[in-house]
Amino acid sequence: MFRAIAVLFLTFPMTAWALVPPDYQEPPSDFTAEIEAGFQLNTGNTDSSSFNGRTKLVYDTKQTKQEATFKAYFASDDEKTTSEKYDIQLQSNYKLQSDWGGYVFGRGDFTSDRFGSYTQISTVSTGYGFDAISDIDTKLSLEIGPGYRYNMPIETEAEPDPEANADVIIRTAIKFEQKLQEYTSLNADLTAEAGEDNSTLTLDMNYKNTLFQDWAFKIGVNVKYTDVVPEGTKQTDTITTFNLLYTFQ
């Protein structure tokens, strides 16, 4: 009996090694996702808390690429909420068979910002993009195309019942990714929306350092400049985040 068990014990690992070689790796997946969050709590002289979270889903195949990004920002002190903002970004690319790695895209950007100069912003756009640089360490993509933007200004004392603004725009975007070292990378997206009534410029930049396996520490900065804003509000909004990020595929 003992001999039979020993034979099975020795035979099974040898069979497993034959079927699954030691250097075997799972085939790459078309689907990847990133989930990140950061939280800050202050007590003592000042009682305040803040939270931000981001989820990004990417489905990339030979012919198409689908991206969805969801962001949330919230802050409050011991008396009231001081910041509450939600972003949704959706983009669908159809890849063209060209040496430039070109693609046509459709995109939607939707923002709800309780304390922003504009409380609701909806932008839909389409156009053409291509990969100017695409290698292991560096990626650079350029996009341009027409779009339509809807803005709802915040209520102010001078304008207690504001009217929404609708504008045809031209959207241009630069998307840059640079691998600095084996475990660090830098990403920067610069987007300009030029319209007859208003124009915006947005820089979304982050530095990521992998801690272990799929976990990373991420520092992000988002700066948005709006040319025309309601009276009493500022043209530039800046958000800085310090988050823990998990990537899976």
Side-chain angles (χ1 to χ4, degrees), residues 200-221:
T200 64
L201 183 65
T202 304
L203 173 63
D204 192 358
M205 184 168 58
N206 65 76
Y207 169 83
K208 184 171 65 175
N209 183 24
T210 301
L211 302 175
F212 51 90
Q213 294 184 346
D214 299 324
W215 292 92
F217 175 69
K218 180 179 173 183
I219 302 174
V221 178

Side-chain angles (χ1 to χ4, degrees), residues 12-26:
F12 179 76
M14 294 177 62
T15 305
W17 276 110
L19 294 175
V20 183
D23 59 348
Y24 172 80
Q25 295 182 353
E26 291 288 340

Side-chain angles (χ1 to χ4, degrees), residues 21-119:
D23 59 348
Y24 172 80
Q25 295 182 353
E26 291 288 340
S29 172
D30 294 333
F31 175 79
T32 60
E34 294 181 350
I35 298 177
E36 65 180 82
F39 179 77
Q40 179 176 314
L41 177 65
N42 298 327
T43 60
N45 293 320
T46 301
D47 294 332
S48 64
S49 61
S50 65
F51 169 83
N52 78 89
R54 171 182 170 272
T55 299
K56 182 177 181 180
L57 309 176
V58 179
Y59 184 67
D60 192 357
T61 65
K62 185 177 180 181
Q63 196 66 51
T64 63
K65 182 178 181 181
Q66 320 294 334
E67 292 186 39
T69 304
F70 308 90
K71 301 178 183 179
Y73 306 92
F74 177 85
S76 64
D77 55 26
D78 53 354
E79 294 182 355
K80 60 183 182 303
T81 299
T82 58
S83 176
E84 187 176 353
K85 180 180 179 181
Y86 306 96
D87 288 334
I88 299 177
Q89 300 168 350
L90 307 172
Q91 180 161 333
S92 178
N93 298 348
Y94 179 79
K95 301 176 184 178
L96 305 175
Q97 302 301 319
S98 65
D99 297 335
W100 286 92
Y103 55 91
V104 293
F105 68 88
R107 181 180 177 90
D109 294 84
F110 310 96
T111 297
S112 175
D113 189 353
R114 181 178 171 186
F115 298 95
S117 56
Y118 291 93
T119 57

